[in-house]
Amino acid sequence: METLFPNNKSLILVVSLFLILSFFTPLISNLRAKNYQQKRLELVNQKILGSSYGRKINDSSVIEALKSVPRHKFVPSERRNRAYKNRPLPIGHGQTISQPYIVARMTDLLNLENDDRVLEIGTGSGYQAAILAEITKEVYTIEIIEELHRRSENTLKALNYQNIVTRHGDGYYGWKSKEPFDAIIVTAAPSHIPPPLVEQLSPGGRMVIPVGHPLRTQRLMLLEKQPDGTVTKRSISRVRFVPFRRNKNN
Ligand code: SAH
């Protein structure tokens, strides 16, 4: 009769191989995770906090979020080795995950409290949404490209974020059924500030948005809605974002 293991020796060999593999595989993935964590801390401590512009980040919860969210899980696998450079990276469909410093700066400008409800326009990879979800109670995020919406939803689910609600659609109109928002962040650049977004901001609410010509640099604007409903605007810096798109059937 033929058997799978013709003699004891081959059985011992297979069992030992199995034991070796089951011992080393978790060890290797643990080492890899530690390596990514080490790179992430270096990025935050040296490239962001250690630079002159890093001094503009006032909120320690933003720094803590940057140290804990695994940015490498939000970038395509072939770009993982560049995940902890202070650079934007392509995520497909001509879109990019923003530079970590810009994510930190925009989040910091929102001046978030932990019971805030936040709306993001332009989910992209989902990284910015994850940073927001580390700091606040509820995050709503809209993405216009269906595949990016689906991919980011999977990434955020795999990382077990329970306080992020994603949606596929044109964010120009905001998310009327979930208004008002304490903070709104727009991560693609429109030529003008969409009025529905201003309307959906609560009194005392803040919005950060890059505004300007899609092919040039834009102005990063900070808007604040006063308790009486009037809106103040402040220009923060020059930035370069991907264009804000519109659905043709709107
Ligand atoms: N916040 C993202 C950055 C993605 S780049 C991240 O952390 O990865 C900007 C994203 O905005 C792109 O994915 C683009 O498809 C999306 N976008 C552009 N116009 C939009 C619109 N009108 N509504 C919703 N998303 C939009």
Side-chain angles (χ1 to χ4, degrees):
M1 197 177 82
E2 271 188 33
T3 60
L4 189 57
F5 303 110
N7 53 42
N8 274 351
K9 256 196 194 155
S10 39
L11 179 64
I12 290 170
L13 196 73
V14 168
V15 171
S16 332
L17 265 176
F18 177 77
L19 288 175
I20 290 172
L21 273 179
S22 44
F23 180 76
F24 281 108
T25 311
L27 217 65
I28 290 170
S29 70
N30 215 346
L31 276 179
R32 204 178 285 145
K34 280 226 169 92
N35 185 26
Y36 279 130
Q37 192 189 22
Q38 177 69 29
K39 285 186 170 169
R40 193 155 63 240
L41 293 182
E42 279 168 21
L43 165 74
V44 177
N45 292 331
Q46 295 168 18
K47 303 278 166 37
I48 297 181
L49 291 177
S51 67
S52 54
Y53 51 66
R55 275 174 229 128
K56 292 187 181 142
I57 313 292
N58 299 310
D59 184 347
S60 61
S61 66
V62 175
I63 297 301
E64 289 314 309
L66 246 71
K67 284 182 182 169
S68 67
V69 176
R71 190 173 187 254
H72 62 280
K73 300 257 165 111
F74 294 84
V75 303
S77 51
E78 68 275 14
R79 298 194 197 270
R80 285 218 163 135
N81 61 344
R82 299 183 55 77
Y84 295 108
K85 305 239 177 262
N86 192 18
R87 298 232 168 270
L89 286 172
I91 54 170
H93 297 268
Q95 308 305 317
T96 53
I97 177 172
S98 307
Q99 179 191 11
Y101 166 68
I102 286 291
V103 172
R105 179 82 168 119
M106 288 173 82
T107 312
D108 189 66
L109 286 166
L110 290 176
N111 217 352
L112 297 169
E113 301 283 344
N114 54 18
D115 60 351
D116 277 349
R117 300 172 68 252
V118 187
L119 173 67
E120 178 194 27
I121 310 300
T123 320
S125 67
Y127 177 71
Q128 172 74 72
I131 293 285
L132 296 167
E134 293 282 330
I135 305 171
T136 64
K137 188 174 71 172
E138 277 170 55
V139 178
Y140 296 86
T141 179
I142 308 177
E143 170 56 51
I144 202 165
I145 299 176
E146 190 164 9
E147 203 215 315
L148 291 182
H149 156 70
R150 259 191 271 118
R151 213 194 291 159
S152 58
E153 192 175 48
N154 288 339
T155 311
L156 293 167
K157 262 199 198 129
L159 291 171
N160 209 18
Y161 280 100
Q162 313 267 347
N163 56 340
I164 304 176
V165 189
T166 61
R167 199 181 102 187
H168 169 230
D170 182 351
Y172 185 90
Y173 299 101
W175 198 323
K176 187 88 182 120
S177 62
K178 304 288 182 192
E179 71 167 340
F181 298 98
D182 303 296
I184 299 180
I185 179 167
V186 182
T187 66
S191 58
H192 63 274
I193 299 167
L197 297 183
V198 181
E199 279 158 27
Q200 292 172 26
L201 212 50
S202 63
R206 293 83 52 205
M207 168 154 62
V208 276
I209 179 168
V211 188
H213 194 284
L215 302 175
R216 303 200 202 112
T217 57
Q218 301 97 27
R219 280 254 145 226
L220 186 64
M221 305 293 297
L222 173 64
L223 278 69
E224 285 186 61
K225 196 182 250 188
Q226 305 303 314
D228 66 1
T230 55
V231 175
T232 59
K233 283 185 206 146
R234 189 151 67 92
S235 167
I236 302 294
S237 62
R238 286 225 151 264
V239 284
R240 189 181 288 273
F241 274 81
V242 293
F244 194 91
R245 302 170 160 221
R246 301 303 314 280
N247 269 345
K248 284 195 193 76
N249 50 0
N250 282 312

